[in-house]
Amino acid sequence: MKFRATLSTLALYALLAACVTINIYFPAAAAEKVADEIIEEIQNDESNNQQKVPDDKQLAPEDDPFSYNQHGVIESIAVALLNTLVSQAHAEEADLNADSAEVRKLKASMRARYNALKEFYANGSVGILNNGLIAVRNPGSIPLSIRNQVNQLVNTENSDRRKLYQAIATANGHPEWAQQIQQTFARRWIAKAQPGWWYKDGSGWKQK
Amino acid sequence: MNKNVQSLLFINKRNSEASWFVRLTNIHKQLPDLQSTILLAGLLFSTAITAIEQIHVTIGELENTHHPIDNIKGLSSRIDFIHNNQLAAAISTHSITLLPPYDGIQAVQLGCSALTTNETYIRCNSGNLTLTLSNDKQFSIPFQFQQTTHSENGQFRMTPIPFANKESQMRLRWQQKKWDFLTAINTLSLTPLSDLLHSAGISISDGFLTINAEAASPATNLLNANLRFSGTDISLQTHDASKAVEKLKIESHLQAGSTQATTQGNLDFYIHNGEIYLQPVYLSLNKASISGDTHFLLDNRNQNLKLTDFTLNHFPNFSLSGDLETTLEQKFPPNQGNIKVQIYNLANLFNHYIAPFLRTNSVKPTLSNTQGLILSELDFTNKQLDHLQLSTADVSATYTFNHQDISINNARISLNWRPDHCSEQSFVYWKTANFRGVPLPETVLRFKACGQQINFERNVTLPLLDGEMQFDHLDLKKLDNGNIDFSFATEINNISLAALSEAFDLPPLAGHLSASIPSVRLEKGGLQLDSSIQINVFGGTIEIEDLQIDGMLGSYPVLTANINFKKLDLGKLSKRFSFGNIEGKLNGRITGLRIENQNVVAFDAAFSTPEDRLLPYSISQKAVENIASLGGTNPADLLSRGVLKMFESFFYSRLGFRCKLRNNVCELEGIATAKNNGFYLIKGMLAPQINVIGYNHRVNWSELATRLKRITSQSSPVIN
């Protein structure tokens, strides 16, 4: 009887599993979270070159989401299978991987540049565009002695930003997401801008 | 000009209230140009001069006239007859469309309130040219004009010149085919001209010009000109802000003569004070100046230009002099010529003219502390550099990039380069040098340079620290894709690791390093070893394979390699690192090692002592504690409180671990599995034996590295 019940349970799970439809769409919330983390990492004055250290609790074996000891073997496999499917489907919605060699390199590059850029954010020479990039607000007002520095900072920053958006999309196996990731970042760069910084919206330049 | 032409002729007859007017619409006949329209007005005037008091000609629209006029609307010509040959005349446009860069002008009015005429001349004593700009601002330029009717003599004079000193004037005279021109404009304010030049993409914020010019054409196709101008406080920039000057002071003199065949003369200029920005180059001239002079000869037919005895001097940094022959279409490289370069301040030359093009990210390469004179000579033939010579005398310089210094002191360089044959010797010598913290003693390197490559002489020995590097070959070549390929093979002999580790900011090491590196390739800023490096250390060997360093000179170097460890003597190793004494031989392999910007981000590592050991090894209590703590377990309390505290060392049969590093997490495994999902890091043997069992399969790498560093930093190891 127990075997038959288990089979029934397995069949039910299999049926449920068969009904799972995995729709891969852009994980907006996860992208926003990734954007926030990356922006904070880049703009955090205290940040250093160390990688972000995961919470030790996350690494403890007891926190492993699967525990095979609580179920019968077949049931466990079935649950695990279903969990995996659902989990994977869920992962497609909620997870966004932002850790690749290219992303790390770009973050380090942008972090190094931020120390030079923040002065120009603060004095209004450089502003944040609403497309995920930055711009020199009034090029003619920049003193000649630093004009090239500001221009190059902005140009290289924009180049890195474009690469970053593409690298995140590529790291997640969806290079076509680059545009949506850029749009997400565009909102978050502005949201995380410090008071006094300038940003551009549909009506022109504004100061936070 | 034949499109949609509508003309209106309006005539008021003297002493009559009646008016005649003729309306001509859609004239399809080609009207020659604007001048014809004016002549038409003159013709009407001359035929009815005695009876008509006003002629007013209006032409609706003219298109495709002479450059730079694109379109004229509402062209109106009006003549008022006053008395005794006194007239008032005016030509105006409702709007005028000019082609760039004159498109800032929206309308033109040319009027003369005192026009006198008789059979021999026509004279305007009070003319006025008014330009209306697109921003509705107006410029009025007064003028006088006289033209004889039979002898083709005439004169046009403008005074005063708007925005200039009152005495300023401009005069043009002509007599048949001869003419002469004179202008003396003093302290012309440039700021009001900003609106006029706006459409040309230039904004002027300040500046004054003084211009004195004379030009004369004594006969057809002959021209002599003499122009002197000086500018002060000139501040202007292009609208895209890519070119700008501020508070510039400039003086220049041009003397030229032209025939149908040639134009020749002398030009000199002197720029001092102020700033210049030509993206990306910025020059401050407040303590410097740029001056130049040349004799020039331009062939008017083929546009060939010869510059003779030219000099260009950026004081106090460098000067150029020589002779060049080029064309106006392709100025550089010249057809032929010789340029001598004297560099007095290499740092300023590099930082002003070269570094702006090399800047990446926020990192700007700089050259500093330069001393010494550099002389160079370039010969051009057939539009290419044919020979380059460069020599220095006791030059010192420090090159800094990304917080790393390369310095050279008391250097002498003799460089001979030709595009095709590598026959002439060159050398570089330095008394002392320093490469990123590694001192390089007195050295001479001899080489031959040609085309896109530099070949150093074979079997070069370069002293390094207390040892040396022997280069079998050392070649540098520019590839077709623009990258630089730098390849060499070297033997490293007896280099002090203590000094090397200090220089490269590594954990302090002792001993000496000897290695053979058959092939090293440096390309695209990355270093790649085509073969392995074998280092004999701790009684065993470390073999580094597939070593590659990308972005070596950049801000984010990435190192990848595979490393084999063979029979390292744990006794020697543990002793030198104060790890606690361990007996045995350690083998291991790290594959996929990846270090990004000095952070270890990935590897698969496996280390262990051999399996086939029959007799036990000993391991000290301290070593056990350290290994256990590295595994995420801390048995120190247990060891110190329990019975085991009685023993200073234990026996073990095997130790080892595997670590797979990804995402800052080290996935740990031991040499064997243990109960409760554990793994053996040390497996005991005989008595007193000890087993170290780990249960934490996922260890934070940063934490692990910190612990390891803390343990190993307690003393420096020695490599034998």
Side-chain angles (χ1 to χ4, degrees):
Chain A
M1 282 297 285
K2 189 178 179 183
F3 180 70
R4 284 172 62 188
T6 304
L7 273 183
S8 301
T9 307
L10 184 59
L12 180 62
Y13 285 148
L15 188 63
L16 285 170
C19 294
V20 173
T21 302
I22 303 172
N23 293 314
I24 300 173
Y25 58 89
F26 181 66
E32 200 161 288
K33 184 167 176 282
V34 162
D36 282 353
E37 287 172 357
I38 289 177
I39 292 168
E40 284 167 15
E41 196 176 337
I42 290 168
Q43 298 187 346
N44 183 359
D45 292 342
E46 301 302 318
S47 69
N48 52 31
N49 289 334
Q50 292 294 318
Q51 293 181 36
K52 191 175 179 183
V53 178
D55 189 345
D56 274 340
K57 282 187 177 179
Q58 289 180 333
L59 305 179
E62 55 268 27
D63 286 338
D64 192 328
F66 299 113
S67 175
Y68 297 92
N69 296 329
Q70 296 171 8
H71 306 282
V73 175
I74 295 176
E75 235 175 350
S76 297
I77 293 170
V79 170
L81 179 64
L82 186 57
N83 280 346
T84 304
L85 285 173
V86 173
S87 174
Q88 283 176 351
H90 179 67
E92 296 293 353
E93 295 167 2
D95 293 340
L96 201 68
N97 173 29
D99 187 36
S100 69
E102 179 73 1
V103 172
R104 286 194 296 272
K105 180 179 178 181
L106 290 165
K107 282 194 297 186
S109 170
M110 293 167 75
R111 190 164 49 223
R113 188 181 306 111
Y114 173 73
N115 286 327
L117 260 179
K118 63 182 177 186
E119 172 191 347
F120 302 113
Y121 285 132
N123 67 20
S125 300
V126 175
I128 304 167
L129 298 174
N130 56 359
N131 63 357
L133 305 176
I134 60 173
V136 181
R137 286 185 55 238
N138 186 0
S141 68
I142 310 287
L144 300 189
S145 58
I146 59 169
R147 190 172 292 184
N148 184 50
Q149 182 195 359
V150 176
N151 285 337
Q152 293 226 4
L153 283 170
V154 169
N155 290 341
T156 49
E157 174 72 6
N158 282 337
S159 172
D160 275 1
R161 287 189 178 197
R162 288 191 186 94
K163 288 178 191 168
L164 176 71
Y165 306 143
Q166 188 61 62
I168 295 171
T170 304
N172 288 275
H174 290 280
E176 74 280 6
W177 282 354
Q179 186 63 34
Q180 290 160 288
I181 289 170
Q182 180 165 349
Q183 288 165 359
T184 305
F185 267 85
R187 291 190 299 274
R188 302 315 300 163
W189 286 117
I190 292 174
K192 292 207 164 278
Q194 293 177 14
W197 291 12
W198 288 83
Y199 67 97
K200 200 172 194 179
D201 65 9
S203 59
W205 288 107
K206 290 181 178 175
Q207 193 171 19
K208 278 200 88 175
Chain B
M1 201 179 70
N2 59 350
K3 183 186 174 188
N4 191 27
V5 176
Q6 292 189 350
S7 299
L8 179 70
L9 174 62
F10 183 83
I11 302 173
N12 273 349
K13 194 175 179 195
R14 185 189 297 267
N15 301 323
S16 170
E17 294 183 357
S19 295
W20 305 332
F21 60 92
V22 179
R23 187 184 184 91
L24 308 173
T25 59
N26 295 326
I27 299 173
H28 292 286
K29 179 187 172 189
Q30 286 270 344
L31 288 178
D33 51 29
L34 181 61
Q35 293 169 349
S36 301
T37 309
I38 298 166
L39 285 174
L40 176 64
L43 179 66
L44 290 167
F45 148 72
S46 62
T47 55
I49 191 165
T50 55
I52 298 171
E53 65 182 22
Q54 185 187 73
I55 297 177
H56 191 176
V57 179
T58 302
I59 298 176
E61 184 174 351
L62 297 175
E63 291 185 353
N64 302 325
T65 58
H66 279 318
H67 183 88
I69 301 171
D70 185 50
N71 176 289
I72 299 174
K73 286 181 180 172
L75 177 64
S76 172
S77 171
R78 177 180 151 172
I79 300 171
D80 290 304
F81 302 90
I82 304 170
H83 57 82
N84 296 335
N85 297 334
Q86 287 287 314
L87 308 169
I91 297 175
S92 62
T93 65
H94 176 69
S95 70
I96 185 168
T97 305
L98 301 176
L99 298 172
Y102 310 102
D103 51 346
I105 299 171
Q106 196 177 46
V108 177
Q109 283 181 298
L110 183 68
C112 183
S113 59
L115 188 68
T116 310
T117 181
N118 60 26
E119 292 178 352
T120 58
Y121 66 85
I122 178 169
R123 179 188 297 155
C124 173
N125 287 328
S126 180
N128 202 56
L129 172 66
T130 303
L131 306 176
T132 305
L133 304 185
S134 50
N135 57 7
D136 291 333
K137 286 189 180 175
Q138 287 192 329
F139 288 94
S140 288
I141 305 169
F143 68 87
Q144 296 89 44
F145 169 81
Q146 178 176 315
Q147 166 78 55
T148 59
T149 51
H150 301 298
S151 60
E152 297 181 25
N153 292 344
Q155 172 174 298
F156 178 85
R157 188 163 176 260
M158 284 171 58
T159 186
I161 303 292
F163 319 119
N165 186 294
K166 285 181 182 174
E167 286 75 38
S168 300
Q169 62 162 314
M170 196 182 295
R171 188 199 67 200
L172 175 65
R173 294 186 302 195
W174 59 92
Q175 183 175 14
Q176 295 180 327
K177 293 181 179 177
K178 292 189 281 186
W179 59 266
D180 65 76
F181 173 78
L182 170 74
T183 184
I185 301 174
N186 197 11
T187 325
L188 173 69
S189 174
L190 295 176
T191 312
L193 301 180
S194 186
D195 295 322
L196 193 62
L197 294 171
H198 187 266
S199 61
I202 297 173
S203 299
I204 303 173
S205 54
D206 200 2
F208 297 92
L209 275 187
T210 294
I211 303 170
N212 288 289
E214 296 169 16
S217 176
T220 304
N221 296 323
L222 287 179
L223 171 68
N224 294 317
N226 196 341
L227 166 70
R228 285 181 190 276
F229 82 90
S230 62
T232 54
D233 291 334
I234 297 176
S235 299
L236 55 87
Q237 63 181 325
T238 54
H239 289 174
D240 64 1
S242 64
K243 300 178 185 68
V245 298
E246 276 194 7
K247 299 290 178 190
L248 207 66
K249 217 169 186 176
I250 181 169
E251 291 154 29
S252 183
H253 178 211
L254 169 69
Q255 177 273 317
S258 176
T259 65
Q260 189 170 14
T262 61
T263 301
Q264 63 178 313
N266 297 295
L267 170 70
D268 64 69
F269 68 92
Y270 177 49
I271 306 172
H272 53 119
N273 288 359
E275 301 166 276
I276 299 175
Y277 178 70
L278 300 170
Q279 193 168 298
V281 173
Y282 165 77
L283 301 173
S284 170
L285 299 176
N286 293 326
K287 292 182 180 175
S289 64
I290 298 176
S291 60
D293 62 80
T294 187
H295 175 78
F296 63 89
L297 174 62
L298 176 68
D299 188 320
N300 292 335
R301 287 161 297 194
N302 59 20
Q303 301 287 290
N304 273 356
L305 177 66
K306 283 185 182 175
L307 302 181
T308 312
D309 292 332
F310 79 85
T311 63
L312 178 65
N313 190 1
H314 183 178
F315 175 83
N317 303 320
F318 71 89
S319 69
L320 308 177
S321 61
D323 304 298
L324 288 178
E325 187 175 332
T326 185
T327 63
L328 288 183
E329 292 154 1
Q330 187 195 333
K331 297 182 184 63
F332 202 87
N335 296 346
Q336 57 186 358
N338 170 274
I339 301 177
K340 294 181 178 66
V341 185
Q342 295 191 53
I343 301 170
Y344 313 110
N345 190 323
L346 181 63
N348 279 351
L349 175 73
F350 178 85
N351 296 331
H352 286 145
Y353 294 99
I354 300 173
F357 295 93
L358 302 178
R359 180 199 288 268
T360 58
N361 207 355
S362 58
V363 182
K364 178 186 171 187
T366 56
L367 204 60
S368 57
N369 305 323
T370 56
Q371 292 177 352
L373 178 66
I374 299 175
L375 301 173
S376 181
E377 188 166 349
L378 301 90
D379 292 316
F380 294 90
T381 308
N382 297 325
K383 292 183 182 293
Q384 70 169 11
L385 182 60
D386 186 52
H387 188 206
L388 166 66
Q389 283 182 298
L390 186 145
S391 61
T392 70
D394 290 330
V395 164
S396 298
T398 301
Y399 175 80
T400 305
F401 181 75
N402 201 25
H403 308 295
Q404 303 276 356
D405 288 348
I406 299 171
S407 64
I408 189 167
N409 298 305
N410 300 103
R412 288 177 212 155
I413 300 171
S414 173
L415 171 66
N416 283 289
W417 177 93
R418 287 191 184 274
D420 39 19
H421 44 280
C422 274
S423 58
E424 296 178 63
Q425 275 286 352
S426 301
F427 72 85
V428 56
Y429 158 87
W430 62 79
K431 181 78 174 173
T432 60
N434 193 296
F435 183 84
R436 298 191 161 201
V438 180
L440 303 173
E442 185 174 11
T443 301
V444 181
L445 293 174
R446 299 181 198 282
F447 61 92
K448 291 177 180 175
C450 60
Q452 304 283 329
Q453 59 186 3
I454 296 175
N455 300 321
F456 288 83
E457 68 180 356
R458 301 277 160 174
N459 302 316
V460 173
T461 299
L462 179 67
L464 181 62
L465 302 174
D466 54 349
E468 63 183 23
M469 291 178 77
Q470 289 184 331
F471 291 93
D472 174 47
H473 74 272
L474 187 64
D475 299 317
L476 200 146
K477 187 165 67 176
K478 187 178 179 187
L479 303 176
D480 291 340
N481 60 11
N483 293 322
I484 303 292
D485 180 11
F486 186 33
S487 64
F488 59 90
T490 183
E491 293 271 347
I492 299 172
N493 297 324
N494 263 341
I495 291 180
S496 162
L497 282 169
L500 200 62
S501 57
E502 184 184 352
F504 286 98
D505 197 24
L506 295 170
L509 300 168
H512 290 83
L513 174 67
S514 296
S516 174
I517 308 173
S519 176
V520 180
R521 189 168 292 275
L522 188 63
E523 185 184 333
K524 260 179 96 175
L527 180 144
Q528 186 176 342
L529 266 65
D530 294 340
S531 55
S532 62
I533 302 175
Q534 186 166 308
I535 307 168
N536 299 322
V537 290
F538 296 120
T541 58
I542 296 177
E543 189 179 15
I544 303 170
E545 299 173 333
D546 307 319
L547 175 65
Q548 186 166 339
I549 307 174
D550 293 322
M552 195 169 68
L553 300 176
S555 58
Y556 198 84
V558 177
L559 181 150
T560 54
N562 298 317
I563 306 175
N564 289 316
F565 301 83
K566 292 178 183 171
K567 297 184 177 177
L568 300 186
D569 188 327
L570 278 171
K572 294 177 179 176
L573 185 66
S574 57
K575 184 179 177 185
R576 298 314 306 169
F577 283 104
S578 284
F579 193 81
N581 292 332
I582 311 174
E583 287 181 354
K585 299 282 186 184
L586 185 70
N587 296 322
R589 178 167 172 79
I590 298 176
T591 56
L593 173 64
R594 185 178 180 86
I595 302 175
E596 296 178 2
N597 200 22
Q598 301 183 11
N599 293 316
V600 181
V601 296
F603 61 72
D604 291 323
F607 287 89
S608 66
T609 54
E611 289 183 69
D612 54 355
R613 179 75 179 174
L614 297 175
L615 295 173
Y617 297 112
S618 99
I619 182 168
S620 70
Q621 191 181 107
K622 181 180 177 183
V624 171
E625 288 177 8
N626 284 332
I627 291 174
S629 65
L630 285 177
T633 308
N634 187 2
D637 290 344
L638 178 66
L639 284 172
S640 58
R641 283 200 306 264
V643 130
L644 293 174
K645 71 178 181 182
M646 298 166 55
F647 302 99
E648 287 188 355
S649 62
F650 308 93
F651 292 123
Y652 76 95
S653 63
R654 197 170 176 227
L655 64 79
F657 69 93
R658 288 173 179 272
C659 170
K660 181 180 178 180
L661 177 66
R662 299 287 187 277
N663 299 325
N664 202 32
V665 174
C666 172
E667 295 180 1
L668 265 179
E669 295 294 335
I671 49 172
T673 56
K675 291 179 180 176
N676 299 322
N677 202 28
F679 54 89
Y680 283 97
L681 290 169
I682 300 174
K683 197 156 191 182
M685 188 178 186
L686 303 178
Q689 67 168 263
I690 189 162
N691 293 308
V692 176
I693 300 172
Y695 293 95
N696 194 350
H697 288 261
R698 292 164 58 80
V699 178
N700 183 309
W701 168 250
S702 299
E703 180 67 24
L704 186 63
T706 304
R707 289 177 196 162
L708 190 61
K709 195 172 181 180
R710 191 166 55 228
I711 293 166
T712 57
S713 64
Q714 291 172 15
S715 78
S716 61
V718 172
I719 300 174
N720 299 309

